[in-house]
């Protein structure tokens, strides 16, 4: 017989050769600049990741931002903010755009900088000098001043919470021209200058009085301002009663510590708020934010509130598709998935790990596709039995507690081939840093295993959902393979569209190209 290593099967020979080495040292395929930038915009957070430092992530993002055309850069910044609900990366891309195309920058600015925190983040990025300029420049100054003048009093109060830079610093930089005596007084108050108190917004007047006496109901100002003063249990209860959905989620333990949930009515109201579909939609809740709440909530929290968090997760993942045909879901539970999904940050590290997000996506898909086969993997497939009728949070926790070895993304595909399974859709959720498994020439082992599965079931489709901004994949895109990035609820709709043939593999980047500024 001829040498099999030389005379390989034709199906393997048709596969593209690897063209990159991933961060773990494994053979991989590099995404083109547009796809890589889109992935960075939807997953990049400038935290310390398992395989990269914040400096390395920034350098790569800046290089990609300089490579693509300005129009695509502008649309990617908008997409990252509006579809991915990201913060730091859209601000960085917008800062680069301010230098590359000032006109497009002006159009993108209003959609990227849509609240006070984003405004301060953008100014911080610009002043750092890391994107090519140390000062704002004329057009960015004009856009920032315009935002300040258009913002509501409430939005300015929200923006006034936080430092580095503080809102007062931003006002001093851009010198906005107030259109009314009331706005002039508010700017003066923010700057710590004398002003006519009667011209200040009613909430600010109430806050000044409340801060001086500490008596009466808390004024309707941002929560962070109120915590500067000693509050009674009644005042804490009043704050909880009018809390926004996100503020309530983030401060459940604080309300518990201050006795709010000793009141049955307060428990009932909090639970109703947390499971309210309208408020969940308005808050643009990321499913992993609910996982943060579930993972960090006190063991003494009333059961009604804990159950409301489970209900909220079911609602927040309402876009999860029910896919026709046989489905296999493959979450990566390897060691590299153990890091925080937004990276390590001093004093601001999330409790949710990459493996938690992979488990969450898997559990959500299984909820709507109860017959799906679930194949967790590290260097091999981890056998685990899950109950489809359990809540998403319960199954996600069970998945996240297994694995921990090296990464072999080909393992679940090999298992499907070994068992003769013929899924119509395979979803792999990973950081794509595969480095274990058989040594191959030409294509990756994952690509070869996928080709074998396709031979058995020509209708099969593969979706590789990447939750890290490393920029490589184990299976390159083609008609039956979609590579997407992100961990917002939007990925569920993209999975459904591709599975049902409504979109092709180029659609993910195509969504960005179709944005009108």
């Amino acid at each position: 017989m001829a040498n099999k290593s030389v005379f390989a099967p034709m199906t393997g020979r048709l596969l593209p050769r690897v063209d990159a080495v991933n961060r773990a040292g494994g053979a991989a395929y590099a995404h083109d600049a547009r796809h890589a930038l889109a992935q960075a915009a939807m997953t990049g957070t400038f935290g310390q990741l398992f395989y990269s430092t914040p400096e390395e992530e920034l350098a790569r993002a800046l290089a990609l931002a300089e490579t693509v055309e300005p129009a695509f850069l502008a649309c990617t910044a908008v997409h990252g903010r509006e579809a991915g609900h990201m913060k730091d990366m859209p601000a960085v891309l917008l800062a680069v755009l301010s230098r590359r195309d000032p006109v497009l920058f002006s159009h993108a600015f209003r959609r990227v900088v849509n609240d006070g925190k984003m405004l301060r983040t953008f100014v911080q990025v610009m002043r750092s000098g890391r994107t090519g300029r140390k000062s704002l420049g004329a057009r960015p100054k004009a856009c920032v001043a315009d935002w300040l003048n258009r913002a509501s009093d409430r939005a300015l109060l929200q923006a006034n919470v936080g430092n580095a830079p503080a809102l007062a610093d931003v006002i001093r930089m851009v010198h906005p021209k107030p259109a009314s005596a009331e706005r002039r007084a508010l700017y003066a108050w923010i700057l710590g200058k004398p002003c006519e108190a009667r011209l200040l917004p009613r909430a600010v007047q109430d806050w000044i009085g409340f801060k001086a006496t500490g008596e009466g109901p808390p004024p309707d100002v941002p929560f962070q301002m109120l915590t500067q003063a000693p509050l009674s249990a009644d005042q804490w209860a009043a704050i909880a009663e009018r809390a926004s959905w996100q503020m309530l989620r983030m401060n459940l333990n604080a309300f518990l510590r201050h006795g709010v949930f000793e009141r049955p009515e307060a428990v009932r109201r909090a639970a109703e708020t947390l499971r309210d579909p309208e408020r969940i939609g308005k808050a643009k809740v990321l499913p992993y934010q609910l996982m943060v709440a579930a993972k960090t909530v006190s063991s003494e929290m009333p059961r009604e509130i804990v159950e409301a968090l489970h209900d909220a997760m079911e609602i927040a993942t309402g876009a999860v598709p029910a896919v026709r045909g046989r489905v296999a879901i493959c979450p990566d539970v390897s060691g590299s998935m153990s890091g925080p999904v937004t990276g390590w940050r001093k004093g601001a590290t999330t409790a949710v790990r990459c493996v938690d997000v992979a488990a969450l996506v898997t559990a959500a898909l299984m909820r709507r596709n109860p017959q799906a086969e679930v194949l967790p993997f590290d260097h091999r497939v981890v056998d685990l039995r899950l109950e489809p009728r359990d809540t998403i949070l319960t199954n996600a926790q069970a998945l996240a507690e297994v694995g921990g070895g090296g990464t072999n993304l080909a393992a679940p595909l090999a298992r499907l081939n070994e068992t003769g399974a013929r899924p119509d859709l395979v979803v792999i959720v990973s950081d794509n840093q595969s480095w274990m498994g058989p040594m191959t020439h030409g294509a990756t082992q994952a690509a070869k295993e996928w080709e074998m599965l396709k031979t058995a079931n020509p209708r099969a489709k593969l979706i590789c959902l990447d939750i890290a901004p490393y920029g490589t994949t184990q299976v390159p895109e083609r008609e039956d393979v979609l590579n997407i990035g992100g961990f917002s609820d939007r990925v569920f709709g993209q999975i459904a569209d591709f599975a049902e043939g409504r979109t092709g593999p180029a659609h993910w980047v195509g969504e960005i190209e179709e944005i009108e500024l």
Side-chain angles (χ1 to χ4, degrees):
M1 295 293 291
N3 188 329
K4 293 182 180 179
S5 66
V6 176
F7 299 99
M10 179 59 77
T11 53
R13 284 290 181 177
L14 292 175
L15 295 173
R17 299 179 65 86
V18 295
D19 57 9
V21 176
N22 64 29
R23 293 301 183 96
Y29 300 96
H31 293 307
D32 64 34
R34 288 185 169 203
H35 190 118
L37 184 66
Q39 183 183 339
M42 297 297 279
T43 61
T45 59
F46 302 113
Q48 177 73 44
L49 300 175
F50 195 91
Y51 286 114
S52 72
T53 66
E55 289 291 330
E56 290 171 335
E57 185 180 348
L58 176 60
R60 186 166 182 275
L62 292 176
L64 291 168
E66 296 289 355
T67 300
V68 302
E69 62 272 24
F72 187 81
L73 176 60
C75 293
T76 303
V78 170
H79 187 75
R81 181 61 181 148
E82 293 184 346
H85 313 308
M86 303 297 284
K87 299 178 180 68
D88 294 354
M89 187 64 78
V92 168
L93 301 184
L94 189 64
V96 175
L97 183 65
S98 72
R99 176 173 46 77
R100 293 196 61 196
D101 193 317
V103 175
L104 281 173
F105 163 80
S106 297
H107 291 297
F109 182 89
R110 287 194 179 189
R111 294 178 64 174
V112 174
V113 180
N114 56 5
D115 63 31
K117 188 171 184 179
M118 280 300 297
L119 182 80
R120 292 190 296 105
T121 299
F122 171 73
V123 173
Q124 177 189 2
V125 169
M126 291 288 284
R127 292 178 71 193
S128 72
R130 302 302 300 273
T131 61
R133 60 198 310 174
K134 293 183 179 179
S135 61
L136 290 183
R139 194 177 293 259
K141 274 187 177 181
C143 287
V144 171
D146 180 63
W147 188 96
L148 291 168
N149 286 331
R150 286 188 300 105
S152 66
D153 293 342
R154 180 74 182 184
L156 286 178
L157 287 180
Q158 292 282 4
N160 197 39
V161 174
N163 295 297
L167 183 62
D169 299 325
V170 177
I171 292 173
R172 291 188 189 98
M173 273 185 268
V174 302
H175 306 291
K177 293 181 172 57
S180 67
E182 289 78 10
R183 182 51 59 94
R184 184 178 296 106
L186 181 55
Y187 285 158
W189 178 77
I190 292 171
L191 292 170
K193 295 181 177 181
C195 63
E196 291 190 59
R198 65 179 183 83
L199 295 177
L200 291 172
R202 170 51 56 186
V204 176
Q205 294 182 44
D206 292 344
W207 161 243
I208 293 172
F210 180 80
K211 190 176 181 182
T213 67
E215 297 178 355
D220 187 16
V221 295
F223 172 69
Q224 297 89 335
M225 294 173 64
L226 294 170
T227 56
Q228 299 172 20
L231 301 171
S232 68
D234 287 339
Q235 290 168 336
W236 275 100
I239 294 170
E241 183 174 353
R242 66 163 184 256
S244 69
W245 193 95
Q246 288 285 21
M247 197 267 270
L248 178 62
R249 171 190 69 86
M250 295 171 66
N251 294 281
L252 286 172
N253 288 338
F255 291 136
L256 179 69
R257 285 195 306 271
H258 290 91
V260 172
F261 297 142
E262 293 174 6
R263 307 161 185 240
E265 182 63 20
V267 172
R268 183 189 63 78
R269 281 197 299 264
E272 288 178 352
T273 296
L274 289 171
R275 59 166 62 99
D276 183 339
E278 185 176 347
R279 298 186 73 165
I280 290 172
K282 186 177 179 180
K284 298 180 180 179
V285 179
L286 292 174
Y288 90 87
Q289 291 175 323
L290 278 161
M291 181 171 275
V292 171
K295 287 174 69 70
T296 59
V297 73
S298 169
S299 60
E300 299 177 4
M301 190 66 63
R303 188 63 201 170
E304 188 175 351
I305 291 178
V306 175
E307 291 176 355
L309 289 173
H310 283 259
D311 293 341
M313 178 64 81
E314 303 289 334
I315 295 167
T317 53
V320 176
V323 180
R324 288 178 292 181
R326 293 158 294 185
V327 180
I329 315 167
C330 312
D332 182 350
V333 294
S334 65
S336 65
M337 298 284 284
S338 62
V341 68
T342 53
W344 283 280
R345 291 186 176 196
K346 187 176 180 180
T349 299
T350 178
V352 176
R353 304 162 297 169
C354 293
V355 67
D356 294 318
V357 172
L360 175 61
V361 172
T362 300
L365 287 169
M366 189 177 68
R367 186 75 162 148
R368 292 295 306 278
N369 301 275
Q371 302 305 315
E373 184 173 5
V374 178
L375 302 170
F377 70 94
D378 47 20
H379 59 276
R380 85 291 191 225
V381 172
V382 180
D383 293 317
L384 177 69
R385 182 178 178 83
L386 297 173
E387 173 52 59
R389 297 188 68 175
D390 281 347
T391 68
I392 290 171
L393 282 173
T394 299
N395 277 330
Q397 182 175 351
L399 274 166
E401 290 174 352
V402 302
T407 310
N408 179 10
L409 196 137
L413 297 174
R415 170 69 69 87
L416 291 170
N417 284 323
E418 290 165 5
T419 59
R422 301 290 181 266
D424 299 297
L425 177 67
V426 178
V427 180
I428 298 177
V429 191
S430 173
D431 62 0
N432 262 309
Q433 298 307 291
S434 184
W435 59 278
M436 297 190 74
M439 297 296 293
T440 66
H441 298 282
T444 63
Q445 185 63 27
K448 292 180 178 180
E449 293 288 352
W450 176 246
E451 188 64 23
M452 290 175 60
L453 196 151
K454 278 289 292 185
T455 301
N457 180 9
R459 299 188 308 275
K461 293 183 177 182
L462 172 65
I463 297 175
C464 297
L465 174 57
D466 203 330
I467 57 177
Y470 296 129
T472 60
T473 183
Q474 288 295 294
V475 187
E477 273 180 5
R478 59 188 201 183
E479 279 192 20
D480 57 318
V481 180
L482 172 67
N483 283 283
I484 57 177
F487 35 79
S488 75
D489 59 348
R490 190 178 182 89
V491 300
F492 296 123
Q494 294 167 333
I495 289 172
D497 287 343
F498 184 70
E500 297 297 329
R502 292 189 290 269
T503 61
H507 177 70
W508 190 56
V509 172
E511 272 190 354
I512 296 175
E513 295 175 322
E514 291 175 3
I515 292 175
E516 294 184 7
L517 297 175

